[in-house]
Amino acid sequence: NAGVMQNPRHLVRRRGQEARLRCSPMKGHSHVYWYRQLPEEGLKFMVYLQKENIIDESGMPKERFSAEFPKEGPSILRIQQVVRGDSAAYFCASSPGTPRSQETQYFGPGTRLLVL
Amino acid sequence: GIQVEQSPPDLILQEGANSTLRCNFSDSVNNLQWFHQNPWGQLINLFYIPSGTKQNGRLSATTVATERYSLLYISSSQTTDSGVYFCAVSGAGSYQLTFGKGTKLSVIP
């Protein structure tokens, strides 16, 4: 049973380019979460998605960042016109999406974004 | 929002020693997880423990929800235990995990 998959594992972009980070949840999981770990800072929640729906994007910067989780395929976190301050590790997590409110979130290996 | 404090921030242990890491949180929680971030940056799930006690090998965890704290015990530490240990919680009605700043553990031979 494969875990949460993220790709690429490392991504280098120049300022002004776009970054696309992909996340495939664990098999059978329908809830996806994105977190960001900035250097010298803790992990911070960005967005929570279910299939075709954004449930909570309260942690997402208002500009340049967007996320989607289409009916088919992985979840995508998209950063437009990247700046050096976007350099960070981006983690995706997934959970089963059962009716219970308490659910373990399983984390992927992360994508390390470096903006030159 | 909910606040999470971890202590100690740094811990250096001799191989074979035992340790206790603490996580205090400011409100009632419906989810509490402990993670180990290894030196390669991967986040490893250790425990899902909003209440009660669990054990997995040399690791165990206890959460006393009424007193708003959780403890992670590491026994007979090994060099591979080195890394940062994070506690993360979510409050009632929320799915987003709030992480503490972590405890950086270094186990020396």
Side-chain angles (χ1 to χ4, degrees), chain A residues 9 31 33 35 37 42-43 45 48 56 58 91 100-109 112, chain B residues 30-31 33 35 37 40-43 45 48 50 86 90 93-101:
Chain A
R9 296 288 300 276
H31 291 198
Y33 315 79
Y35 293 82
Q37 186 174 31
L43 285 117
F45 167 82
Y48 161 43
D56 180 355
S58 59
F91 289 93
R100 298 180 308 145
S101 61
Q102 302 98 320
E103 290 192 332
T104 302
Q105 293 183 23
Y106 296 88
F107 279 70
R112 272 117 192 113
Chain B
N30 62 14
N31 184 350
Q33 293 183 235
F35 297 90
Q37 188 166 38
W40 295 270
Q42 292 183 306
L43 273 173
N45 272 48
Y48 166 80
F86 289 103
S90 63
S94 174
Y95 290 89
Q96 52 177 278
L97 287 174
T98 298
F99 282 76
K101 293 189 176 180

Short mmCIF file of all heavy atoms in Angstrom, two decimals, chain A residues 9 31 33 35 37 42-43 45 48 56 58 91 100-109 112, chain B residues 30-31 33 35 37 40-43 45 48 50 86 90 93-101:
data_model
loop_
_atom_site.label_atom_id
_atom_site.label_comp_id
_atom_site.label_asym_id
_atom_site.label_seq_id
_atom_site.Cartn_x
_atom_site.Cartn_y
_atom_site.Cartn_z
N ARG A 9 10.56 15.82 -6.05
CA ARG A 9 11.09 15.90 -4.68
C ARG A 9 11.89 17.18 -4.50
O ARG A 9 11.94 17.74 -3.41
CB ARG A 9 11.95 14.68 -4.39
CG ARG A 9 11.19 13.36 -4.42
CD ARG A 9 10.27 13.21 -3.22
NE ARG A 9 11.01 13.26 -1.98
CZ ARG A 9 11.60 12.20 -1.44
NH1 ARG A 9 11.55 11.03 -2.02
NH2 ARG A 9 12.26 12.33 -0.30
N HIS A 31 -9.21 13.06 1.09
CA HIS A 31 -8.93 14.38 1.65
C HIS A 31 -7.44 14.66 1.52
O HIS A 31 -6.61 13.81 1.84
CB HIS A 31 -9.31 14.43 3.14
CG HIS A 31 -10.79 14.37 3.38
ND1 HIS A 31 -11.36 14.75 4.57
CD2 HIS A 31 -11.82 13.97 2.60
CE1 HIS A 31 -12.67 14.61 4.50
NE2 HIS A 31 -12.97 14.12 3.32
N TYR A 33 -4.32 17.71 2.19
CA TYR A 33 -3.91 18.92 2.91
C TYR A 33 -2.52 19.31 2.42
O TYR A 33 -1.68 18.44 2.18
CB TYR A 33 -3.83 18.67 4.42
CG TYR A 33 -5.00 17.90 4.99
CD1 TYR A 33 -5.07 16.51 4.86
CD2 TYR A 33 -6.02 18.55 5.67
CE1 TYR A 33 -6.13 15.79 5.38
CE2 TYR A 33 -7.08 17.84 6.21
CZ TYR A 33 -7.13 16.46 6.06
OH TYR A 33 -8.19 15.75 6.57
N TYR A 35 0.85 21.72 3.47
CA TYR A 35 1.53 22.47 4.52
C TYR A 35 2.85 22.98 3.96
O TYR A 35 3.43 22.38 3.05
CB TYR A 35 1.83 21.56 5.73
CG TYR A 35 0.61 21.08 6.48
CD1 TYR A 35 -0.13 19.98 6.02
CD2 TYR A 35 0.19 21.71 7.65
CE1 TYR A 35 -1.24 19.53 6.70
CE2 TYR A 35 -0.93 21.27 8.34
CZ TYR A 35 -1.64 20.18 7.87
OH TYR A 35 -2.74 19.75 8.55
N GLN A 37 6.79 24.42 5.09
CA GLN A 37 7.80 24.57 6.14
C GLN A 37 8.86 25.52 5.62
O GLN A 37 9.71 25.17 4.80
CB GLN A 37 8.43 23.21 6.49
CG GLN A 37 9.37 23.28 7.68
CD GLN A 37 9.87 21.90 8.10
OE1 GLN A 37 10.01 21.00 7.28
NE2 GLN A 37 10.13 21.71 9.38
N GLY A 42 8.23 26.73 11.72
CA GLY A 42 7.53 25.45 11.81
C GLY A 42 6.68 25.19 10.60
O GLY A 42 6.63 25.97 9.66
N LEU A 43 6.01 24.06 10.61
CA LEU A 43 5.10 23.72 9.53
C LEU A 43 3.78 24.48 9.70
O LEU A 43 3.23 24.53 10.80
CB LEU A 43 4.80 22.22 9.54
CG LEU A 43 5.94 21.38 9.02
CD1 LEU A 43 6.46 20.46 10.09
CD2 LEU A 43 5.46 20.58 7.82
N PHE A 45 -0.16 25.18 8.05
CA PHE A 45 -1.24 24.74 7.19
C PHE A 45 -1.46 25.76 6.07
O PHE A 45 -1.40 26.97 6.27
CB PHE A 45 -2.52 24.59 8.01
CG PHE A 45 -3.78 24.45 7.21
CD1 PHE A 45 -4.14 23.22 6.68
CD2 PHE A 45 -4.60 25.54 6.97
CE1 PHE A 45 -5.31 23.09 5.94
CE2 PHE A 45 -5.76 25.42 6.24
CZ PHE A 45 -6.12 24.18 5.72
N TYR A 48 -6.91 22.83 2.53
CA TYR A 48 -7.51 21.51 2.70
C TYR A 48 -8.51 21.32 1.56
O TYR A 48 -9.37 22.16 1.33
CB TYR A 48 -8.19 21.46 4.07
CG TYR A 48 -9.24 20.38 4.29
CD1 TYR A 48 -9.04 19.06 3.84
CD2 TYR A 48 -10.39 20.68 4.99
CE1 TYR A 48 -10.00 18.10 4.07
CE2 TYR A 48 -11.36 19.71 5.23
CZ TYR A 48 -11.16 18.43 4.76
OH TYR A 48 -12.11 17.46 4.99
N ASP A 56 -10.97 24.51 2.87
CA ASP A 56 -10.41 25.53 3.75
C ASP A 56 -9.10 26.00 3.15
O ASP A 56 -8.17 25.21 3.05
CB ASP A 56 -10.20 24.95 5.16
CG ASP A 56 -9.61 25.94 6.16
OD1 ASP A 56 -9.26 27.07 5.77
OD2 ASP A 56 -9.47 25.56 7.34
N SER A 58 -7.64 28.94 4.29
CA SER A 58 -7.32 30.07 5.17
C SER A 58 -5.82 30.29 5.36
O SER A 58 -5.40 31.37 5.72
CB SER A 58 -8.00 29.88 6.54
OG SER A 58 -7.56 28.67 7.14
N PHE A 91 4.75 20.17 2.01
CA PHE A 91 4.31 18.82 2.34
C PHE A 91 2.83 18.67 2.02
O PHE A 91 2.03 19.56 2.28
CB PHE A 91 4.53 18.52 3.82
CG PHE A 91 5.97 18.36 4.21
CD1 PHE A 91 6.70 19.44 4.67
CD2 PHE A 91 6.59 17.12 4.12
CE1 PHE A 91 8.03 19.30 5.03
CE2 PHE A 91 7.92 16.97 4.47
CZ PHE A 91 8.65 18.06 4.93
N ARG A 100 -16.03 10.49 10.71
CA ARG A 100 -15.48 10.96 11.99
C ARG A 100 -14.67 12.23 11.77
O ARG A 100 -14.01 12.38 10.77
CB ARG A 100 -14.57 9.91 12.60
CG ARG A 100 -15.22 8.61 12.95
CD ARG A 100 -14.20 7.67 13.56
NE ARG A 100 -13.03 7.56 12.73
CZ ARG A 100 -11.80 7.42 13.21
NH1 ARG A 100 -11.59 7.39 14.49
NH2 ARG A 100 -10.77 7.32 12.40
N SER A 101 -14.67 13.08 12.75
CA SER A 101 -13.88 14.30 12.61
C SER A 101 -12.41 14.06 12.90
O SER A 101 -11.55 14.77 12.42
CB SER A 101 -14.41 15.38 13.56
OG SER A 101 -14.31 14.94 14.89
N GLN A 102 -12.13 13.03 13.70
CA GLN A 102 -10.73 12.79 14.03
C GLN A 102 -10.14 11.82 13.02
O GLN A 102 -10.63 10.71 12.87
CB GLN A 102 -10.60 12.17 15.43
CG GLN A 102 -11.18 12.98 16.56
CD GLN A 102 -12.56 12.50 16.94
OE1 GLN A 102 -13.36 12.17 16.07
NE2 GLN A 102 -12.86 12.46 18.21
N GLU A 103 -9.10 12.22 12.37
CA GLU A 103 -8.46 11.36 11.39
C GLU A 103 -6.97 11.61 11.38
O GLU A 103 -6.52 12.75 11.40
CB GLU A 103 -8.98 11.65 9.98
CG GLU A 103 -10.40 11.21 9.73
CD GLU A 103 -10.74 11.27 8.28
OE1 GLU A 103 -10.16 12.08 7.56
OE2 GLU A 103 -11.61 10.49 7.85
N THR A 104 -6.22 10.51 11.29
CA THR A 104 -4.78 10.64 11.13
C THR A 104 -4.48 11.22 9.76
O THR A 104 -5.05 10.79 8.76
CB THR A 104 -4.11 9.27 11.26
OG1 THR A 104 -4.44 8.70 12.53
CG2 THR A 104 -2.61 9.39 11.14
N GLN A 105 -3.59 12.19 9.72
CA GLN A 105 -3.10 12.71 8.45
C GLN A 105 -1.74 12.07 8.17
O GLN A 105 -0.85 12.11 9.02
CB GLN A 105 -2.98 14.23 8.50
CG GLN A 105 -4.33 14.92 8.62
CD GLN A 105 -4.24 16.43 8.58
OE1 GLN A 105 -3.28 17.01 8.06
NE2 GLN A 105 -5.25 17.08 9.14
N TYR A 106 -1.62 11.50 6.99
CA TYR A 106 -0.39 10.82 6.58
C TYR A 106 0.35 11.74 5.61
O TYR A 106 -0.22 12.17 4.61
CB TYR A 106 -0.71 9.48 5.91
CG TYR A 106 -1.38 8.49 6.82
CD1 TYR A 106 -2.76 8.47 6.96
CD2 TYR A 106 -0.63 7.59 7.57
CE1 TYR A 106 -3.39 7.58 7.81
CE2 TYR A 106 -1.24 6.70 8.43
CZ TYR A 106 -2.61 6.69 8.54
OH TYR A 106 -3.23 5.82 9.39
N PHE A 107 1.62 11.98 5.92
CA PHE A 107 2.38 12.96 5.18
C PHE A 107 3.26 12.32 4.10
O PHE A 107 3.81 11.23 4.29
CB PHE A 107 3.27 13.79 6.12
CG PHE A 107 2.52 14.89 6.80
CD1 PHE A 107 1.56 14.61 7.77
CD2 PHE A 107 2.74 16.22 6.45
CE1 PHE A 107 0.85 15.63 8.39
CE2 PHE A 107 2.03 17.24 7.07
CZ PHE A 107 1.09 16.95 8.03
N GLY A 108 3.39 13.05 3.01
CA GLY A 108 4.31 12.66 1.95
C GLY A 108 5.72 13.11 2.27
O GLY A 108 5.96 13.75 3.28
N PRO A 109 6.68 12.80 1.37
CA PRO A 109 8.09 13.13 1.62
C PRO A 109 8.42 14.60 1.40
O PRO A 109 9.51 15.04 1.75
CB PRO A 109 8.82 12.26 0.61
CG PRO A 109 7.84 12.05 -0.50
CD PRO A 109 6.50 12.02 0.14
N ARG A 112 10.97 20.06 -2.06
CA ARG A 112 11.82 21.17 -1.67
C ARG A 112 11.96 22.12 -2.85
O ARG A 112 12.55 21.74 -3.86
CB ARG A 112 13.18 20.67 -1.20
CG ARG A 112 13.19 20.36 0.28
CD ARG A 112 13.46 18.87 0.54
NE ARG A 112 13.18 18.54 1.94
CZ ARG A 112 12.20 17.75 2.33
NH1 ARG A 112 11.44 17.14 1.43
NH2 ARG A 112 11.99 17.52 3.60
N ASN B 30 -9.25 17.56 18.90
CA ASN B 30 -9.85 16.32 18.37
C ASN B 30 -8.82 15.48 17.62
O ASN B 30 -9.13 14.40 17.15
CB ASN B 30 -11.06 16.62 17.49
CG ASN B 30 -10.70 17.45 16.27
OD1 ASN B 30 -9.53 17.59 15.92
ND2 ASN B 30 -11.69 18.01 15.62
N ASN B 31 -7.62 16.01 17.49
CA ASN B 31 -6.55 15.27 16.82
C ASN B 31 -5.24 15.71 17.44
O ASN B 31 -5.01 16.91 17.64
CB ASN B 31 -6.56 15.57 15.31
CG ASN B 31 -5.53 14.76 14.52
OD1 ASN B 31 -4.67 14.10 15.10
ND2 ASN B 31 -5.61 14.81 13.22
N GLN B 33 -1.12 14.45 16.90
CA GLN B 33 -0.19 13.52 16.26
C GLN B 33 1.24 13.89 16.64
O GLN B 33 1.57 15.08 16.77
CB GLN B 33 -0.34 13.55 14.72
CG GLN B 33 -1.67 13.00 14.23
CD GLN B 33 -1.79 12.96 12.72
OE1 GLN B 33 -2.72 13.51 12.14
NE2 GLN B 33 -0.87 12.28 12.05
N PHE B 35 5.20 13.40 15.27
CA PHE B 35 5.97 13.12 14.06
C PHE B 35 7.46 13.16 14.38
O PHE B 35 7.90 13.90 15.26
CB PHE B 35 5.71 14.17 12.97
CG PHE B 35 4.30 14.24 12.48
CD1 PHE B 35 3.39 15.08 13.09
CD2 PHE B 35 3.89 13.49 11.40
CE1 PHE B 35 2.09 15.17 12.64
CE2 PHE B 35 2.59 13.57 10.93
CZ PHE B 35 1.70 14.42 11.55
N GLN B 37 10.80 14.16 12.21
CA GLN B 37 11.38 14.62 10.94
C GLN B 37 12.84 14.21 10.94
O GLN B 37 13.64 14.73 11.74
CB GLN B 37 11.22 16.12 10.75
CG GLN B 37 11.66 16.57 9.35
CD GLN B 37 11.22 17.98 9.00
OE1 GLN B 37 11.22 18.88 9.83
NE2 GLN B 37 10.84 18.18 7.74
N TRP B 40 16.86 13.79 6.72
CA TRP B 40 16.62 13.97 5.29
C TRP B 40 15.34 14.77 5.03
O TRP B 40 14.95 14.97 3.89
CB TRP B 40 16.53 12.60 4.59
CG TRP B 40 17.83 11.89 4.65
CD1 TRP B 40 18.87 11.94 3.77
CD2 TRP B 40 18.25 11.02 5.72
NE1 TRP B 40 19.90 11.15 4.22
CE2 TRP B 40 19.56 10.57 5.41
CE3 TRP B 40 17.66 10.56 6.89
CZ2 TRP B 40 20.27 9.71 6.22
CZ3 TRP B 40 18.37 9.70 7.71
CH2 TRP B 40 19.66 9.28 7.36
N GLY B 41 14.70 15.19 6.10
CA GLY B 41 13.53 16.07 5.98
C GLY B 41 12.20 15.36 5.90
O GLY B 41 11.15 16.01 5.83
N GLN B 42 12.19 14.04 5.91
CA GLN B 42 10.93 13.31 5.81
C GLN B 42 10.19 13.35 7.14
O GLN B 42 10.81 13.23 8.21
CB GLN B 42 11.19 11.87 5.41
CG GLN B 42 11.70 11.73 3.99
CD GLN B 42 11.87 10.28 3.60
OE1 GLN B 42 12.54 9.53 4.29
NE2 GLN B 42 11.26 9.88 2.50
N LEU B 43 8.87 13.49 7.07
CA LEU B 43 8.02 13.48 8.26
C LEU B 43 7.44 12.09 8.44
O LEU B 43 6.68 11.60 7.61
CB LEU B 43 6.87 14.47 8.08
CG LEU B 43 7.08 15.91 8.47
CD1 LEU B 43 5.90 16.74 8.08
CD2 LEU B 43 7.33 16.05 9.97
N ASN B 45 5.10 9.58 10.60
CA ASN B 45 4.04 9.47 11.62
C ASN B 45 4.49 8.56 12.74
O ASN B 45 4.91 7.43 12.48
CB ASN B 45 2.78 8.86 11.00
CG ASN B 45 1.87 9.90 10.39
OD1 ASN B 45 2.33 10.75 9.66
ND2 ASN B 45 0.61 9.82 10.71
N TYR B 48 -0.96 8.71 16.45
CA TYR B 48 -2.19 9.49 16.48
C TYR B 48 -2.76 9.25 17.87
O TYR B 48 -3.15 8.13 18.20
CB TYR B 48 -3.15 9.01 15.39
CG TYR B 48 -4.56 9.51 15.55
CD1 TYR B 48 -4.90 10.80 15.14
CD2 TYR B 48 -5.55 8.71 16.09
CE1 TYR B 48 -6.19 11.26 15.28
CE2 TYR B 48 -6.84 9.17 16.23
CZ TYR B 48 -7.16 10.44 15.82
OH TYR B 48 -8.45 10.90 15.96
N PRO B 50 -5.08 11.52 20.37
CA PRO B 50 -5.80 12.64 21.01
C PRO B 50 -6.09 12.41 22.48
O PRO B 50 -6.39 13.35 23.22
CB PRO B 50 -7.09 12.73 20.20
CG PRO B 50 -7.24 11.40 19.54
CD PRO B 50 -5.86 10.86 19.34
N PHE B 86 7.97 16.61 16.23
CA PHE B 86 6.90 17.59 16.23
C PHE B 86 5.64 17.00 16.83
O PHE B 86 5.29 15.84 16.59
CB PHE B 86 6.57 18.03 14.79
CG PHE B 86 7.61 18.90 14.15
CD1 PHE B 86 8.47 18.37 13.20
CD2 PHE B 86 7.72 20.24 14.48
CE1 PHE B 86 9.43 19.17 12.59
CE2 PHE B 86 8.67 21.04 13.88
CZ PHE B 86 9.53 20.51 12.94
N SER B 90 -5.23 19.52 16.17
CA SER B 90 -6.32 20.30 15.59
C SER B 90 -7.43 20.38 16.62
O SER B 90 -7.68 19.43 17.36
CB SER B 90 -6.82 19.68 14.29
OG SER B 90 -7.36 18.40 14.50
N GLY B 93 -13.85 21.01 15.41
CA GLY B 93 -14.39 21.62 14.21
C GLY B 93 -13.35 22.01 13.18
O GLY B 93 -13.68 22.63 12.17
N SER B 94 -12.09 21.69 13.42
CA SER B 94 -11.04 22.07 12.48
C SER B 94 -10.30 20.85 11.99
O SER B 94 -10.13 19.88 12.72
CB SER B 94 -10.05 23.03 13.15
OG SER B 94 -8.95 23.30 12.30
N TYR B 95 -9.86 20.88 10.74
CA TYR B 95 -9.05 19.80 10.20
C TYR B 95 -7.58 20.18 10.09
O TYR B 95 -6.74 19.33 9.90
CB TYR B 95 -9.56 19.42 8.80
CG TYR B 95 -10.91 18.73 8.82
CD1 TYR B 95 -12.09 19.45 8.77
CD2 TYR B 95 -10.98 17.35 8.92
CE1 TYR B 95 -13.31 18.82 8.80
CE2 TYR B 95 -12.20 16.71 8.94
CZ TYR B 95 -13.35 17.44 8.89
OH TYR B 95 -14.56 16.82 8.92
N GLN B 96 -7.31 21.48 10.17
CA GLN B 96 -5.92 21.88 9.98
C GLN B 96 -5.10 21.59 11.22
O GLN B 96 -5.50 21.92 12.33
CB GLN B 96 -5.83 23.35 9.58
CG GLN B 96 -6.55 24.33 10.47
CD GLN B 96 -6.33 25.76 10.03
OE1 GLN B 96 -5.31 26.36 10.35
NE2 GLN B 96 -7.28 26.30 9.29
N LEU B 97 -3.96 20.97 11.02
CA LEU B 97 -3.05 20.69 12.12
C LEU B 97 -2.20 21.93 12.40
O LEU B 97 -1.68 22.56 11.48
CB LEU B 97 -2.12 19.52 11.76
CG LEU B 97 -2.73 18.12 11.76
CD1 LEU B 97 -1.72 17.11 11.24
CD2 LEU B 97 -3.21 17.74 13.15
N THR B 98 -2.10 22.26 13.68
CA THR B 98 -1.20 23.31 14.14
C THR B 98 0.01 22.63 14.77
O THR B 98 -0.15 21.83 15.70
CB THR B 98 -1.89 24.22 15.16
OG1 THR B 98 -3.00 24.86 14.54
CG2 THR B 98 -0.92 25.29 15.67
N PHE B 99 1.18 22.94 14.25
CA PHE B 99 2.41 22.29 14.71
C PHE B 99 3.10 23.12 15.78
O PHE B 99 3.13 24.36 15.72
CB PHE B 99 3.37 22.11 13.54
CG PHE B 99 3.04 20.96 12.63
CD1 PHE B 99 2.00 21.07 11.71
CD2 PHE B 99 3.76 19.78 12.68
CE1 PHE B 99 1.68 20.01 10.87
CE2 PHE B 99 3.45 18.72 11.85
CZ PHE B 99 2.40 18.84 10.94
N GLY B 100 3.74 22.42 16.73
CA GLY B 100 4.67 23.07 17.62
C GLY B 100 5.98 23.33 16.89
O GLY B 100 6.16 22.92 15.74
N LYS B 101 6.90 23.99 17.56
CA LYS B 101 8.19 24.32 16.95
C LYS B 101 9.16 23.15 16.98
O LYS B 101 10.22 23.22 16.37
CB LYS B 101 8.80 25.55 17.62
CG LYS B 101 7.98 26.80 17.37
CD LYS B 101 8.67 28.07 17.84
CE LYS B 101 7.83 29.27 17.45
NZ LYS B 101 8.43 30.54 17.88
#
